Each structure stands twice: as C-alpha cells, then as structure tokens.
C-alpha cells in the first residue's frame, strides 16, 4: 500500500455523507475531475503551443475571451453532456444556460455552473489561474428539459462546490457540505491525491486582498477599512500584508491556507461589484463557510442572496471570520 488516497477513492468513501447517496454525484464529480485534468494539461503547455492570447470574440459581459477560456469551457460542456448525471450547465462563457436535449441527459438530476478559467488576464503571464464549479439538484422534473430556474437557486441550495488552482502545483479543493478537502495533482500518476484533509481557515488573519487601484471608486466604509489594515498597531498585528494576484481562485486559496480576507466590493463604476454570484461567489462562499470562514456582500450572507439572472454580480467579502466581522463594522 502506498498510503496515498486518490480523489476518486475519497469521493467513493465519502459518498454516504451526501444526502442522495446514489452514486450519481460521485460520477458527476469524476466527470468534472477528468475535464479538469485535460484543462490542466492544456494550461501547463500554454506557452509552448499557439493557445495563449485572445480570441476574436467577446462573452456576454463584454470581456475578450481568451483561447484557454473557450477551450476550458468546451471541455466541461463535452464532459457533462456525455456524462448522464447533468441535465444542463451554465458558465461564464455562455450567454445563456445550456440545456441538454438527449433523453439520456434529461434524466440527469443535477445542473452545474462553472467559471471554466478564472483569472484569464493572468494566463499570458504565467501566473496562477483556476476553475470554479458549483452543483445543484435540479428543480424541474426529471425526464423533462431543465430550465433557467434550475440555475437561479440560492447558494444555500448547492450540493457541492469546488475549485482547481493551476499554480506551482495543481490542486483541487471541494466540499459537499461536510467540510473541505484539498487534493494535489501528482503528474507522475495523473491523480489528485489527498494532501489537505479537513481544511480550516484561521479565525483571524493578517492578509487583505483587493484591487486597491479602485480606491477612488470605493465607498467610504471600504476606504476606512483599508486605512485600518494599514495602521501601525502591534497588538492587532497591523499593518496587515496586502496580497492580490487578480485570480480569485488563487487569492482565495492563499487566504484559506494562511488566513486573510478577500474583497471585491461595489464601486461607483460597478455598483454590484465585478464577481458573478452563480459560478464565482456562491461556490467560494460555500467552501469558505465549510472551512469555518465567512462570506458576505457587506449587507447579507452571500449564500442567502436571491438570484434573478444568470450572470448576476454581487459585492464579495470573504475570509477569516474575525476579519470579515471587523470589516463589517466599517461598512
Ligand atoms: P475571470 O477571469 O473569470 O473573468 O475572473 C476574473 C476575476 C477574478 O478572478 C479576480 O478576482 C478579478 O476578476 C480581478 O479583477 P480586477 O482586475 O478588477 O482586480
Ligand atoms: Mn472568474
Ligand atoms: Mn473566467
């Protein structure tokens, strides 16, 4: 025995933790993992072949799509369309939800939302990027076509969520509502192996992460909190360290391990912030809460927010509980 626990072994072992332990979620997670491994392979050779750089097209949010965005999106679509567990998907790169039409897929119990590549602006400069996914049980009837309402569920309804960070090593972190576990890809055997069991974020931290270049557009409360982070006060370990990669997944992952707060607030230019609730904020909020941290818009818990549209944005503040609570006192 090697003593190594692979992700597939772990998922099967934990199958009973899940309220509908029929094996479907296990198969769905495995489909996602396979897509992820393919994306990882492509991301890793991004500089070698002609796949970095922008495409000619824009997504619905007016952002230029990167070639790897489109490739990653396609990987997920084909993995899920052929898997039989999902009846539809939604992603950052598709204007509308994608409803699977085959009789096979219509029997699927789940819908999946994902950000196929997070931090696209970092692709061309060899800086960590990620993938985020979120899984819901469908609301529509099994056997019929899924619809938009299946995706507009509150974060609290998620049955599983996870992310992959393509960093100095590739890691997958996920939750099904029974804690958070992290797996590192061992490239020599092509398997994610359990490396970070039962991940917990520190109650308090010393890192704050936000795009401070937007300072002129922040509310007074956010500005005051930033000033607080920079004050010299030995007792409360301030000034804090500023760390901002610009890939939510990578910033979140660092803060999860070290303790810290990640902030993408509303600005005068973007009154709901930048990040999308369905495939960015909700899955990360689920993981953050499961790891003992907090996730809020500044006004309410992220996972309580009602969704009215697919690409809805919300302000996002998440991290160590005490840091989030402290920031709220400024808002
Ligand atoms: P995506 O690449 O999926 O569009 O997401 C980018 C997001 C997120 O990863 C990051 O936290 C944020 O955009 C960075 O935005 P700024 O460049 O405005 O700081
Ligand atoms: Mn993103
Ligand atoms: Mn993206």
């Amino acid at each position: 025995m090697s003593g190594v626990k692979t992700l597939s072994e772990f998922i099967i072992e934990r199958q009973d933790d899940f309220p509908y332990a029929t094996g479907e979620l296990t198969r769905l997670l495995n489909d996602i993992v396979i897509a992820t491994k393919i994306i990882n392979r492509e991301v890793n050779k991004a500089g070698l072949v002609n796949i970095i750089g922008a495409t000619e097209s824009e997504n619905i949010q007016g952002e230029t799509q990167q070639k790897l965005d489109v490739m990653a999106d396609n990987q997920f679509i084909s993995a899920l369309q052929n898997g039989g567990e999902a009846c539809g998907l939604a992603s950052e790169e598709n204007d509308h939800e994608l409803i699977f039409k085959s009789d096979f897929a219509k029997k699927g119990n789940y819908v999946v939302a994902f950000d196929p590549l997070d931090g696209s602006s970092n692709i061309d400069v060899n800086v960590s990027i990620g993938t985020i996914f979120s899984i819901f049980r469908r609301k529509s009837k099994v056997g019929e076509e899924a619809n938009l309402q299946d995706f507009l569920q509150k974060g609290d309804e998620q049955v599983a969520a996870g992310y992959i960070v393509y960093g100095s090593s590739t890691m997958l972190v996920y939750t099904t509502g029974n804690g958070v576990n992290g797996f590192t890809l061992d490239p020599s055997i092509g398997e994610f192996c359990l490396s970070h069991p039962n991940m917990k974020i520190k109650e308090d931290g010393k890192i704050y992460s936000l795009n401070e270049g937007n300072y002129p557009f922040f509310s007074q409360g956010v500005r005051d909190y930033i000033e607080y982070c920079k004050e010299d006060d030995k007792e409360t370990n301030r000034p804090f360290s500023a760390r901002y990669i610009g890939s939510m997944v990578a910033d979140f992952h660092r803060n999860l391990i070290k303790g810290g707060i990640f902030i993408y607030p509303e600005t005068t230019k973007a009154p709901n912030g930048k990040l999308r609730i369905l495939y960015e904020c909700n899955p990360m909020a689920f993981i953050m809460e499961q790891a003992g941290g907090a996730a809020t818009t500044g006004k309410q818990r992220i996972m309580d927010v009602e969704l009215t549209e697919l690409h809805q944005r919300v302000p996002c503040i998440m991290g160590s509980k005490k840091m989030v609570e402290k920031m709220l006192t400024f808002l």
Side-chain angles (χ1 to χ4, degrees):
M1 282 291 288
S2 63
V4 169
K5 179 158 294 170
T6 68
L7 176 57
S8 322
E9 286 169 345
F10 185 86
I11 292 174
I12 293 169
E13 198 180 287
R14 291 294 180 95
Q15 190 166 296
D16 291 343
D17 282 359
F18 182 66
Y20 316 91
T22 57
E24 290 166 300
L25 184 74
T26 301
R27 287 193 292 275
L28 181 56
L29 285 170
N30 278 324
D31 290 342
I32 291 173
V33 169
I34 289 168
T36 293
K37 286 184 188 170
I38 297 171
I39 296 167
N40 177 65
R41 187 190 63 200
E42 299 305 314
V43 164
N44 271 236
K45 61 186 184 193
L48 292 174
V49 288
N50 186 27
I51 51 173
I52 56 172
T55 60
E56 304 284 293
S57 58
E58 283 187 350
N59 65 14
I60 192 169
Q61 293 148 77
E63 301 159 338
T64 307
Q65 287 178 309
Q66 303 288 319
K67 286 177 190 162
L68 275 175
D69 282 324
V70 175
M71 181 283 302
D73 194 41
N74 289 335
Q75 285 306 332
F76 276 107
I77 295 173
S78 58
L80 296 180
Q81 210 156 23
N82 301 319
E85 318 306 333
C87 53
L89 64 83
S91 101
E92 182 193 0
E93 306 306 334
N94 297 294
D95 303 0
H96 303 287
E97 65 281 8
L98 224 101
I99 305 298
F100 301 153
K101 304 284 180 195
S102 71
D103 288 339
F104 175 61
K106 277 194 267 188
K107 289 190 190 127
N109 270 313
Y110 297 93
V111 294
V112 185
F114 56 92
D115 179 352
L117 264 202
D118 172 70
S120 322
S121 65
N122 282 323
I123 296 172
D124 288 6
V125 291
N126 211 350
V127 170
S128 295
I129 50 181
T131 292
I132 309 172
F133 63 89
S134 166
I135 302 176
F136 293 94
R137 261 183 103 78
R138 68 188 297 177
K139 289 278 176 208
S140 55
K141 249 173 120 187
V142 177
E144 293 178 3
E145 279 184 20
N147 61 54
L148 177 60
Q149 295 311 317
D150 291 319
F151 296 93
L152 301 184
Q153 301 190 50
K154 284 199 289 197
D156 252 346
E157 311 267 348
Q158 292 173 97
V159 294
Y163 65 80
I164 296 89
V165 55
Y166 311 99
S168 39
S169 63
T170 298
M171 265 193 79
L172 184 148
V173 173
Y174 86 103
T175 184
T176 52
N178 282 296
V180 179
N181 290 283
F183 301 79
T184 303
L185 184 65
D186 180 340
S188 66
I189 57 170
E191 292 281 0
F192 283 102
C193 301
L194 181 63
S195 52
H196 295 62
N198 195 19
M199 296 173 88
K200 290 285 172 211
I201 186 165
K202 287 183 187 144
E203 246 202 312
D204 211 352
K206 291 187 282 189
I207 294 174
Y208 74 105
S209 326
L210 85 171
N211 186 343
E212 225 174 310
N214 290 326
Y215 193 93
F217 314 117
F218 290 152
S219 67
Q220 195 54 48
V222 174
R223 290 184 197 178
D224 291 344
Y225 179 67
I226 295 172
E227 297 312 320
Y228 166 84
C229 292
K230 295 183 194 183
E231 264 164 27
D232 184 13
D233 178 48
K234 287 207 174 52
E235 232 164 80
T236 49
N237 272 316
R238 285 176 293 147
F240 297 153
S241 290
R243 294 283 183 275
Y244 190 68
I245 295 168
S247 295
M248 181 194 204
V249 168
D251 280 308
F252 178 102
H253 184 69
R254 179 204 52 241
N255 291 1
L256 176 62
I257 290 179
K258 294 194 164 182
I261 187 168
F262 172 84
I263 308 162
Y264 209 111
E266 70 273 27
T267 63
T268 46
K269 287 184 162 178
N272 294 314
K274 174 181 184 185
L275 301 174
R276 281 70 39 121
I277 186 161
L278 179 62
Y279 41 81
E280 290 178 319
C281 302
N282 266 340
M284 296 310 237
F286 190 17
I287 296 167
M288 184 50 81
E289 286 195 7
Q290 283 292 318
T296 165
T297 66
K299 295 197 175 80
Q300 68 181 130
R301 192 172 156 253
I302 288 179
M303 290 201 288
D304 282 337
V305 175
E306 298 281 353
L307 274 76
T308 51
E309 45 187 294
L310 211 56
H311 300 285
Q312 185 172 325
R313 296 170 197 260
V314 280
C316 175
I317 302 166
M318 48 175 75
S320 295
K321 226 175 202 159
K322 287 195 170 154
M323 291 186 92
V324 173
E325 279 164 9
K326 185 73 193 175
M327 178 165 179
L328 287 177
T329 66
F330 287 86
L331 300 184

